Amino acid sequence: MTVRTRFAPSPTGFIHLGNIRSALYPWAFARATGGTFILRIEDTDLERSSQAAVDVIIEGMKWLGLDHDEGPFYQMQRMDRYKAVLAEMVAGGHVYPCYMSMAELDALRERQMANKEKPRYDGTWRPEPGKVLPPVPEGVKPVLRFKNPQGGVVAWDDKVKGLIEIRNDELDDLVIARPDGTPTYNFCVVVDDIDMAITHVIRGDDHVNNTPRQINIFRALGKEPPVYAHLPTVLNEQGEKMSKRNGAKPVTQYRDEGYLPDAMVNYLARLGWSHGDDEIFSRAQFLEWFNLDHLGRSAAQFDEAKLRWVNAQHLKAMDDAALAPLVAEQLQKRGITADERLPRICGLFKDRCDTTVALAGWAAAFYADVTPGAEELAQHVTDAIKPALATLAQKLAACAWDKPGISGAIKETIAAHGIKMPQLAMPVRVLVMGTAQTPSLDAVLELQNQQTVLARLQNA
Ligand code: GLU
């Protein structure tokens, strides 16, 4: 059997990290098993769906490298198909028209609540042998309800939650078509999962209540349901369910803030799945290790500090030549065009950065003016050191512009003025890089343009 998984987001808000984790696992499972990953956009909620939200889904998945093999399929473009399957359901006697009005439904619900019963449709219009149905009201278009099996249980072995059994008597007859004939959500999902030959449904556990209903519809259509894995919720840092309503950021914002796709994949992977104690791993390792047996059962909590740490680890480990284009993109946003020095600049500074934005902040000092802070200037660039700075400038103007040449000029200056290394290095760093905290001075200066260094030293 070839594994076929899908990600089926509703484009009703900007997709956040909690949502995209529901894409990561089915993608990884398909990739790990040589299967097929399908993208399906569940856009039937016309009022709340938007193209902008679809764009963020597609852009976010592309950024994270969660490539799909089939789709995107849009449910709104499959309406004819749903209606055709609905006709099969009608022909097979699996549905019946229900004429109960909204007001009657409300009254029923109130009665049930007053009796402390669970609100549910009471089967008034469900045909049974020997049962007399109420007279059909005039001018009312009915909804179509699914004849849920009566008695027995619906059970499935959830890959995350274990065996789940629901008594059919707890499920009322679901509306599967509205009065205007449009199919409803659960029905469309089943038709899609059948047509797309999905073998494993890996999705958020907010859908657990839909699953027994969906399984019954599968069976009514003569199909066996797929394997289900319901992922626990992702909580935000406050311990609430992550949602855009309480400040969750769209996935693409993490790209803009300088996170690396592989670091995000690593972090998200661990948010609900584990491989022993491994915290930092590559995409290839993740795909080698991923299976549905190590999905966590409890809710995972997002932790931005941990995400930054994971990103820093990936940044450090990343090849300079691969890192440079990502930093160049961030520089471009500041109106800076980088040059061939950038990979080496990345190599020199990546250890002290946790995002490509931070790295671009350092790189900017090589391509644009720097403005040392008044405090650092006052502390390090004192009148006492200015003669030594002048000597250094002279020597740097005349030396070979490489590490040994620069290092020689610094050492000669120190010797000539009888001072210690930090007394000279700190003010030079402040003037040339805008801050006293930098990697080794000769390595930094070597990557700077000679004329730029001389000009900045003159600002002393
Ligand atoms: N469209 C649903 C959602 O965004 C997912 C449905 C499913 O995966 O079956 O929550």
Side-chain angles (χ1 to χ4, degrees), residues 33-231:
T33 54
T36 301
F37 176 57
I38 295 152
L39 175 60
R40 175 167 94 217
I41 306 288
E42 301 201 325
D43 55 352
T44 52
D45 184 342
L46 291 180
E47 256 167 48
R48 293 172 61 229
S49 297
S50 72
Q51 186 55 44
V54 173
D55 293 345
V56 175
I57 291 166
I58 290 175
E59 233 184 276
M61 291 178 71
K62 197 166 159 210
W63 171 55
L64 292 174
L66 308 182
D67 54 321
H68 53 271
D69 305 301
E70 295 176 18
F73 298 108
Y74 292 83
Q75 286 190 323
M76 282 311 290
Q77 293 171 11
R78 291 180 39 81
M79 281 299 155
D80 289 348
R81 173 66 187 150
Y82 305 137
K83 286 181 186 164
V85 180
L86 200 56
E88 276 175 40
M89 294 280 278
V90 174
H94 297 293
V95 297
Y96 61 89
C98 167
Y99 295 87
M100 197 176 259
S101 68
M102 279 301 178
E104 287 171 310
L105 276 170
D106 286 344
L108 173 64
R109 186 176 309 115
E110 268 170 39
R111 257 194 331 270
Q112 289 168 330
M113 306 262 272
N115 294 338
K116 306 228 176 332
E117 287 165 21
K118 203 167 136 191
R120 65 208 299 280
Y121 176 65
D122 63 358
T124 299
W125 288 91
R126 179 170 171 137
E128 306 287 359
K131 175 175 167 187
V132 181
L133 295 177
V136 171
E138 239 174 89
V140 178
K141 281 202 169 162
V143 297
L144 290 183
R145 286 189 185 267
F146 172 59
K147 258 190 190 168
N148 198 74
Q150 288 175 331
V153 294
V154 199
W156 77 96
D157 190 10
D158 197 279
K159 292 302 276 179
V160 179
K161 298 182 183 290
L163 182 68
I164 300 187
E165 283 184 312
I166 306 290
R167 285 189 304 113
N168 270 321
D169 294 346
E170 283 180 39
L171 307 171
D172 57 5
D173 291 346
L174 189 71
V175 173
I176 63 170
R178 300 184 184 88
D180 66 0
T182 56
T184 58
Y185 173 74
N186 277 291
F187 181 68
C188 299
V189 169
V190 173
V191 174
D192 284 346
D193 285 341
I194 290 173
D195 285 358
M196 296 168 197
I198 301 302
T199 59
H200 294 73
V201 168
I202 304 167
R203 63 182 172 199
D205 66 3
D206 45 335
H207 291 284
V208 152
N209 290 340
N210 291 329
T211 304
R213 299 178 178 286
Q214 292 181 4
I215 290 177
N216 281 337
I217 300 175
F218 265 95
R219 299 220 163 106
L221 286 166
K223 305 285 179 193
E224 266 312 294
V227 173
Y228 289 95
H230 286 96
L231 308 167

Side-chain angles (χ1 to χ4, degrees), residues 11 30 39 54 67 106 109 177 213 270 292 296 305 337 380 382 396 416 424 440 448:
L39 175 60
V54 173
D67 54 321
D106 286 344
R109 186 176 309 115
R213 299 178 178 286
R270 285 286 294 107
L292 301 182
T337 305
H380 297 289
T382 57
L396 287 176
L424 182 66
S440 128
Q448 276 287 8

